[in-house]
């Protein structure tokens, strides 16, 4: 399109806005737009759709559409009469889910889900976006773009794993959690880019395709290299692996996923994130730290073709070391060496403690479970020519995690200022949303839609959410105080 005239910019963004481009004008505009399933219009007091900031509306629809919305009173944004019904039905069927399962996960009635899949029917935009988010679709593109940015390969992998006849096939609940995690992953990375956050660490890691035996040795080397790249001490404990993942710029979703799934790496288009179960064995925070580190090793170092669009690790896959796949063996070695550097274990081996005491020291100092600590001590001691016998170390006698370790990793899992926000959407994702709201880059309606709560709830607790979840409040230009 040609560059808009000054009078067109003022007509769209209002007389109080300034700047010579739509982007600059939208950033200073007090005007809001409102969208429904099929239309976009300038907001009035009679509007009933979902309000959008001028800046976010421009990003989603472009200047020409906003100009038409202002000049004509409303503009049709629906791609065609078969949308969003076709996209929703295709995605639900790709995932192998029924109406009831989608309805329960979306927090809407089953009749809403059925109605949304009928061509030509109209569904309130908030319910429509909730369904889209649950299915891993771009809720902003639903009805506007056929497919709504669906990652077909991800959906296929989820359905295949759900339909697996093996005892470890994914449950419908786990499929829904992972599909939602894919949506959170894509939205979080878009928000960081939208807010101008500088994520430099992810570019430091070049994929490493060496899985030749012994895979553990490569895993150890990659763990040491990761500490160097991140500027971490070569031997000190990592108090919060969650914070490290946030710092790198990788979306992290911690959510309940049943008893089988430990964690997963999720790919949604060009976006990659980590999803970790807070149920099952991961209720022990030390085991969850190993799972988090294991998935981090996959995401940082495994080539894309190894991860495919979804790589799911089950508890038995991570804990079973006999005949283990080289990819998993390397990730396991990375996980323990990243959390407990072999050089640090050497210092513990030099002490006069017995094997059980050394295992307990490793657990308490570095925050790992008894089994991981026991075998790591044995393996490292052999490398140093000591060969400590750990066969008599009884796992049941080892200490449990203290509250400090749990607090570091559970940070927003156990406590969050807005109770209605699901566990999987807390953490940095919520902090970015609250930051964007405070800066006027998104509306309260948009923030509420993404967090699944009433707009007033996130408005009321905006500062609390930012303070809890954002270690760097300068992101997007938001300053402390």
């Amino acid at each position: 399109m040609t560059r808009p005239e000054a009078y067109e910019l003022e007509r769209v963004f209002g007389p109080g806005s300034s700047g010579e481009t739509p982007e600059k004008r939208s950033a200073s505009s007090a005007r809001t737009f409102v969208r429904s399933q099929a239309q976009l219009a300038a907001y009035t007091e009679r509007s009933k759709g979902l309000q959008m900031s001028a800046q976010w509306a421009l990003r989603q629809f472009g200047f020409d559409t906003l100009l038409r919305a202002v000049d004509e009173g409303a503009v049709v944004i629906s791609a065609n009469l078969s949308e969003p019904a076709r996209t929703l039905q295709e995605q639900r069927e790709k995932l192998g889910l029924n109406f009831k399962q989608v309805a329960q996960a979306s927090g809407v009635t089953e009749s809403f889900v059925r109605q949304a899949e009928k061509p030509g029917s109209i569904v309130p935009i908030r319910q429509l976006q909730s369904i889209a988010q649950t299915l891993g679709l771009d809720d902003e593109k639903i009805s506007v773009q056929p497919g709504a940015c669906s990652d077909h390969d991800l959906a296929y992998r989820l359905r295949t794993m759900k339909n697996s006849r093996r005892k470890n096939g994914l449950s419908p609940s786990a499929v829904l959690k992972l599909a939602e995690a894919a949506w959170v992953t894509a939205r979080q990375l878009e928000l960081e880019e939208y807010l101008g956050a500088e994520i430099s660490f992810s570019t430091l890691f070049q994929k490493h395709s060496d899985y030749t035996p012994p895979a553990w040795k490569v895993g150890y080397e990659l763990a040491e290299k990761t500490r160097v790249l991140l500027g971490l001490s070569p031997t000190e404990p990592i108090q919060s692996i969650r914070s490290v993942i946030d710092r790198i710029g990788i979306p992290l979703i911690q959510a309940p996923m049943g008893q089988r799934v430990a964690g997963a790496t999720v790919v949604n288009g060009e976006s990659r994130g980590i999803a970790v179960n807070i149920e099952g064995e991961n209720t022990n925070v030390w085991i969850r730290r190993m799972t988090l580190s294991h998935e981090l090793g996959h995401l940082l170092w495994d080539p894309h073709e190894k991860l495919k669009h979804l790589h799911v690790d089950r508890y038995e896959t991570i804990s079973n070391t006999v005949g283990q796949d080289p990819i998993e063996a390397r990730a396991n070695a990375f996980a323990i060496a990243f959390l407990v550097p072999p050089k640090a274990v050497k210092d513990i081996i030099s002490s006069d403690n017995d094997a059980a005491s050394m295992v307990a020291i490793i657990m308490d100092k570095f925050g790992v479970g008894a089994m991981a600590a026991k075998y790591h001590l044995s393996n490292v001691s052999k490398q140093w020519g000591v060969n400590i016998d750990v066969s008599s170390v009884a796992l049941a006698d080892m200490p449990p995690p203290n509250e400090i370790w749990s607090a570091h990793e559970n940070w927003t899992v156990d406590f969050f200022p807005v109770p209605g926000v699901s566990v999987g959407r807390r953490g940095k994702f919520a902090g970015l949303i609250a930051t964007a709201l405070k800066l006027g880059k998104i509306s309260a309606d948009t923030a509420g839609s993404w967090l699944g709560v009433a707009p007033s709830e996130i408005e009321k607790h905006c500062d609390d959410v930012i303070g809890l979840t954002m270690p760097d409040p300068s992101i997007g230009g938001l300053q402390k105080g």
Side-chain angles (χ1 to χ4, degrees):
M1 59 166 286
T2 58
R3 184 169 180 172
E5 298 291 340
Y7 72 90
E8 292 177 315
L9 291 171
E10 184 164 318
R11 201 156 70 230
V12 171
F13 299 114
S17 60
S18 60
E20 298 178 353
T21 65
E23 290 73 23
K24 290 182 178 179
R25 282 283 185 132
S26 68
S28 60
S29 175
R31 176 164 288 169
T32 57
F33 291 80
V34 61
R35 72 158 292 187
S36 64
Q37 174 181 312
Q39 293 185 321
L40 178 75
Y43 176 78
T44 69
E45 292 183 356
R46 298 191 301 274
S47 300
K48 295 183 179 180
L50 187 140
Q51 289 186 55
M52 304 175 72
S53 69
Q55 195 171 5
W56 188 251
L58 176 67
R59 183 183 179 91
Q60 298 303 316
F61 300 109
F63 182 79
D64 284 349
T65 300
L66 268 57
L67 180 61
R68 288 180 57 201
V70 170
D71 286 348
E72 300 171 18
V75 61
V76 174
I77 56 174
S78 183
N80 54 59
L81 291 176
S82 65
E83 290 298 335
R86 176 181 294 176
T87 292
L88 293 172
Q89 180 181 356
E90 288 180 353
Q91 184 74 350
R92 180 180 59 79
E93 291 177 349
K94 283 177 191 172
L95 295 172
L97 302 167
N98 60 39
F99 292 112
K100 184 177 181 180
Q101 290 163 345
V102 174
Q104 289 177 338
S106 304
V108 304
T109 64
E110 188 175 336
S111 62
F112 269 129
V113 180
R114 291 181 180 275
Q115 183 183 348
E117 291 190 16
K118 292 180 180 179
S121 64
I122 299 297
V123 177
I125 186 60
R126 290 171 179 81
Q127 282 82 354
L128 183 62
Q129 289 192 331
S130 181
I131 297 169
Q133 294 164 9
T134 297
L135 294 173
L137 298 168
D138 188 334
D139 54 311
E140 298 291 348
K141 295 294 187 287
I142 195 68
S143 83
V144 179
Q145 180 178 316
C149 301
S150 168
D151 188 315
H152 300 288
D153 291 329
L154 172 63
Y156 173 77
R157 284 275 291 160
L158 282 169
R159 183 180 66 183
T160 301
M161 298 181 82
K162 172 182 174 292
N163 293 338
S164 172
R165 294 182 180 274
R166 297 163 59 192
K167 65 178 181 179
N168 54 7
L170 290 179
S171 67
S173 175
V175 167
L176 284 159
K177 289 296 184 183
L178 289 170
E180 182 182 355
W183 171 77
V184 171
T185 292
R187 178 64 69 226
Q188 178 171 327
L189 290 176
E190 182 182 12
L191 265 173
E192 290 188 330
E193 184 270 328
Y194 183 53
L195 291 171
E198 294 184 5
I199 305 299
S200 57
F201 291 107
S202 58
T203 61
L204 299 176
F205 300 91
Q206 301 298 318
K207 301 305 178 183
H208 198 84
S209 57
D210 184 2
Y211 298 96
T212 55
W216 64 263
K217 185 176 181 181
V218 181
Y220 276 24
E221 291 170 354
L222 292 176
E224 183 177 10
K225 185 174 182 180
T226 301
R227 278 186 169 251
V228 171
L229 289 172
L230 296 178
L232 300 174
S233 163
T235 58
E236 288 303 304
I238 296 174
Q239 298 300 325
S240 171
I241 188 69
R242 170 192 57 79
S243 295
V244 170
I245 293 171
D246 280 348
R247 180 183 168 211
I248 295 172
I250 297 173
L252 170 62
I253 299 91
Q254 299 194 83
M257 299 182 205
Q259 301 300 309
R260 293 178 179 174
V261 174
T265 58
V266 181
V267 180
N268 190 356
E270 298 300 316
S271 306
R272 289 179 175 269
I274 291 173
V276 169
N277 192 3
I278 59 172
E279 294 182 324
E281 294 176 31
N282 280 348
T283 54
N284 181 321
V285 72
W286 282 346
I287 294 177
R288 194 181 337 145
R289 280 167 56 84
M290 276 291 291
T291 301
L292 286 163
S293 188
H294 181 101
E295 301 304 335
L296 179 62
H298 277 316
L299 205 58
L300 289 180
W301 296 110
D302 285 341
H304 300 320
E305 63 270 16
K306 297 293 185 182
L307 296 178
K308 300 180 181 179
H309 281 250
L310 177 72
H311 183 94
V312 175
D313 288 305
R314 298 172 177 84
Y315 288 118
E316 60 266 28
T317 302
I318 293 178
S319 60
N320 181 20
T321 58
V322 179
Q324 195 175 49
D325 181 292
I327 297 174
E328 299 307 325
R330 194 178 85 170
N332 268 354
F334 171 90
I336 188 63
F338 186 60
L339 292 174
V340 190
K343 292 178 181 178
V345 178
K346 182 182 178 182
D347 293 337
I348 295 173
I349 292 172
S350 301
S351 67
D352 293 328
N353 292 298
D354 57 31
S357 297
M358 285 189 278
V359 170
I361 290 170
I362 291 172
M363 292 171 64
D364 186 60
K365 182 175 181 179
F366 293 95
V368 295
M371 184 177 294
K374 175 178 175 178
Y375 288 110
H376 192 46
L377 174 63
S378 175
N379 292 335
V380 173
S381 70
K382 290 175 183 177
Q383 294 177 46
W384 297 109
V386 181
N387 197 17
I388 294 175
D389 182 9
V390 297
S391 60
S392 62
V393 177
L395 301 182
D397 294 337
M398 294 296 101
N402 59 39
E403 293 182 358
I404 296 176
W405 283 114
S406 296
H408 283 312
E409 305 300 354
N410 285 356
W411 197 241
T412 57
V413 171
D414 292 337
F415 169 76
F416 194 73
V418 190
V421 176
S422 64
V423 174
R425 301 191 188 191
R426 300 178 182 183
K428 189 177 181 181
F429 178 64
L432 290 166
I433 292 172
T435 299
L437 174 60
K438 178 137 186 166
L439 293 171
K441 289 180 173 289
I442 61 172
S443 68
D445 266 8
T446 297
S449 171
W450 290 345
L451 291 177
V453 295
S456 59
E457 283 297 295
I458 184 62
E459 283 185 308
K460 181 168 60 175
H461 297 288
C462 189
D463 288 337
D464 293 334
V465 172
I466 293 171
L468 182 69
T469 61
M470 299 297 289
D472 180 10
S474 66
I475 287 178
L478 189 64
Q479 301 299 322
K480 288 184 179 180

